[in-house]
Amino acid sequence: MRRYYWVRLYALLLMIIMFTMTMAVSTRSALVIYKESSRQKGIVRSIEHINGASDAIINAVSSVAAAAGQDQYSQLQELVSVEDDSRLSEKDLDGYFRIGYCNKITDSLGTDSAAICEGLNSFIKESDVNDVIVADSGLTSIEQEYDDAGIPTALRIKNVKIRYDDPVTRVREDTFNYNIQFPDAVFHAGNDELFRYCMVAGKGIYITGRTSSIIGDLFAGIHEPDECREAEIIYGETGTYGGINILTTQIGLMTDRVISRGDINVNGSFVVFDANNEKANVFAQDINEISGFSKDAKYTLNGEFHNIREMDEESARIYYDTLALVSNSLAILDPASMYYDSDNDRNYNGKYRKLISGTDVELKSDFTGIVATRANVIIDKDVNFEGIILCGDRIYAMGNNNIVANPSVARTIIASENAEGEYSFRVSDYIGGMKVAGLTDPEHYVIPYK
């Protein structure tokens, strides 16, 4: 019995010792699990706080960008209203807008790392995000990219180091970059790229008669051989039909851009391609000098010729962008079957004339305004034109014509049509690519990236 008693006592003591050891191990394991759980929760919390701080920066910078865009747009609109409209193109104004937009944002956010970080920290403090700061690494900056003309094409805030400090997770950092988007600013109603042209003809331009002058850009398409007309045979077309054809005349062109999808045929004529601004850029398959029985053919070009069959990348971009512009502009002329001339509209009191037709148009007297037809346009001899002619077929200029592009004329017509309730007939409804003046916000002003 005595031996049994001591065995039981030893067994009891052993059980107590093993239980104690088991409890110690379990407690240690529970503590490890608790610490790991706390660490994981801390990591999640730090990520949430850092992302929350980034969101606060995005929201605040978006507000800064939106205000900068509206302020710059308003200033330029005031300039447009007091300046000579023809001196300020949409392209120029877009450049001024982008420069001013970037400058205003930079002025608001700062120009050096310390100032930018201080400003971004103020945005975080105004939010409900805690234990987070933007740490000044000395590398935070606002960066711009420019095109060849010095116009900003991109704006970024770079190397924004956001730091979260917590007793559990200690310090956690993440670095962000932010792209700032540009709003779409339109200052002139209409389509300024199109309004640079004085003549746009889907199937060719034909010029003859006494000495004429053209100021502005030209576009001439082509047509199939079976569409060739007897009156065009003497112009000298061969192989390609359409393009620009000049017969027994003298003509001076002051232009930035002449685009012919076919040839330019200079038949018994003297032609000068001169620069309207910097230099004349002429796009065509060939320029053919065709001497007649009594008159030689000669042309001079103060600029550059671009053979459309073997263009470099930049020339090809200009050429195909123009094809898209013209195609878009002429696309909705096809359904036009009516004839409207503002000179016959008693209710029309606009400054300039507008004429749209589904059939041929003959200009018998001087015309200032817009002509748009899916058919042909004939400019009688001694008739002058200012504005833009858009036709789906061919333009014939019969001599002693002064033909001038004037974006201000077209803008004025389109702007008056956009005035609510002013006119029941809108020529802009028959020309593709028209825009209404105004400022359009991007979908997101600020886009983050790593």
Side-chain angles (χ1 to χ4, degrees):
M1 290 293 294
R2 191 179 178 96
R3 180 181 296 175
Y4 179 69
Y5 171 78
W6 286 107
V7 169
R8 290 182 62 191
L9 182 60
Y10 289 146
L12 180 62
L13 288 173
L14 183 60
M15 288 178 63
I16 292 172
I17 293 170
M18 290 180 67
F19 178 77
T20 302
M21 292 178 64
T22 301
M23 289 297 296
V25 171
S26 298
T27 302
R28 191 179 306 114
S29 298
L31 184 60
V32 169
I33 292 171
Y34 173 77
K35 287 184 177 180
E36 180 61 21
S37 175
S38 297
R39 191 181 73 83
Q40 292 294 336
K41 289 179 180 179
I43 291 173
V44 171
R45 185 167 57 251
S46 67
I47 293 173
E48 288 176 345
H49 280 236
I50 288 174
N51 288 337
S54 179
D55 289 342
I57 290 172
I58 290 171
N59 292 334
V61 174
S62 294
S63 297
V64 170
Q70 189 59 60
D71 188 30
Q72 181 67 9
Y73 185 82
S74 298
Q75 289 181 11
L76 288 174
Q77 277 289 68
E78 291 181 9
L79 182 64
V80 169
S81 67
V82 299
E83 285 285 342
D84 177 6
D85 204 34
S86 64
R87 292 172 53 190
L88 296 167
S89 72
E90 192 71 33
K91 182 178 180 180
D92 292 337
L93 288 165
D94 181 67
Y96 299 149
F97 174 81
R98 284 173 169 266
I99 292 170
Y101 174 74
C102 291
N103 288 343
K104 290 180 186 300
I105 291 174
T106 302
D107 289 344
S108 296
L109 299 181
T111 56
D112 59 73
S113 183
I116 297 169
C117 292
E118 182 180 354
L120 299 182
N121 273 315
S122 70
F123 299 150
I124 295 173
K125 288 179 182 178
E126 292 170 2
S127 70
D128 57 357
V129 181
N130 301 315
D131 303 321
V132 182
I133 64 167
V134 174
D136 183 11
S137 63
L139 300 176
T140 306
S141 63
I142 296 181
E143 177 184 273
Q144 297 184 41
E145 288 184 11
Y146 303 90
D147 62 16
D148 292 340
I151 304 302
T153 57
L155 179 65
R156 303 183 187 92
I157 307 175
K158 298 197 68 178
N159 299 315
V160 178
K161 183 181 288 187
I162 300 179
R163 177 182 295 165
Y164 174 79
D165 198 350
D166 180 81
V168 176
T169 58
R170 302 303 180 187
V171 174
R172 182 180 182 86
E173 295 180 341
D174 206 348
T175 300
F176 293 82
N177 303 289
Y178 302 94
N179 275 324
I180 302 176
Q181 308 300 297
F182 291 82
D184 184 20
V186 178
F187 295 91
H188 296 303
N191 186 333
D192 248 34
E193 185 67 20
L194 178 66
F195 295 161
R196 295 170 42 185
Y197 290 81
C198 57
M199 292 191 288
V200 174
K203 296 184 179 181
I205 296 174
Y206 298 82
I207 302 169
T208 190
R210 292 168 52 197
T211 301
S212 296
S213 66
I214 296 175
I215 301 175
D217 293 352
L218 302 178
F219 177 89
I222 55 177
H223 60 264
E224 297 298 324
D226 59 5
E227 295 181 274
C228 188
R229 296 165 181 165
E230 186 176 347
E232 298 167 1
I233 295 174
I234 58 174
Y235 281 85
E237 295 174 307
T238 56
T240 302
Y241 296 89
I244 297 175
N245 302 275
I246 303 169
L247 175 66
T248 58
T249 188
Q250 297 183 47
I251 186 167
L253 295 95
M254 293 184 63
T255 181
D256 295 322
R257 191 174 297 171
V258 173
I259 293 188
S260 170
R261 290 188 61 198
D263 294 342
I264 298 176
N265 294 310
V266 179
N267 191 338
S269 301
F270 178 68
V271 180
V272 176
F273 296 95
D274 207 349
N276 194 20
N277 290 306
E278 294 182 3
K279 69 176 182 178
N281 285 281
V282 177
F283 295 75
Q285 291 189 34
D286 291 299
I287 302 180
N288 302 314
E289 294 177 319
I290 306 169
S291 295
F293 289 109
S294 58
K295 293 187 178 179
D296 291 333
K298 184 176 178 60
Y299 77 90
T300 62
L301 171 57
N302 179 19
E304 186 173 353
F305 175 70
H306 306 265
N307 189 314
I308 61 175
R309 291 172 295 197
E310 46 186 36
M311 294 179 287
D312 60 28
E313 184 177 350
E314 177 61 18
S315 298
R317 183 192 64 78
I318 294 171
Y319 177 74
Y320 287 109
D321 282 354
T322 304
L323 293 190
L325 170 73
V326 171
S327 176
N328 188 28
S329 301
L330 296 178
I332 54 178
L333 274 177
D334 288 343
S337 58
M338 49 88 73
Y339 181 91
Y340 172 88
D341 186 344
S342 60
D343 273 5
N344 302 325
D345 185 351
R346 294 181 180 179
N347 297 319
Y348 181 76
N349 58 3
K351 186 176 181 180
Y352 302 114
R353 187 177 173 186
K354 53 186 181 181
L355 192 159
I356 186 165
S357 173
T359 57
D360 292 352
V361 171
E362 184 176 1
L363 302 181
K364 300 180 179 181
S365 60
D366 292 353
F367 190 111
T368 302
I370 296 177
V371 172
T373 177
R374 62 179 179 178
N376 304 283
V377 174
I378 303 166
I379 308 172
D380 284 354
K381 63 179 181 179
D382 305 323
V383 171
N384 301 313
F385 181 90
E386 184 175 4
I388 182 170
I389 299 173
L390 290 163
C391 84
D393 210 309
R394 282 159 266 206
I395 296 174
Y396 300 94
M398 306 312 294
N400 197 33
N401 309 119
N402 297 303
I403 302 170
V404 181
N406 189 338
S408 181
V409 169
R411 290 178 199 147
T412 300
I413 291 174
I414 303 302
S416 68
E417 292 184 347
N418 288 334
E420 185 177 354
E422 189 165 347
Y423 304 119
S424 59
F425 181 87
R426 294 159 49 94
V427 70
S428 54
D429 290 338
Y430 296 89
I431 303 174
M434 296 293 103
K435 294 182 179 180
V436 177
L439 188 69
T440 303
D441 295 329
E443 183 177 358
H444 301 286
Y445 265 101
V446 179
I447 299 176
Y449 68 99
K450 292 294 184 72

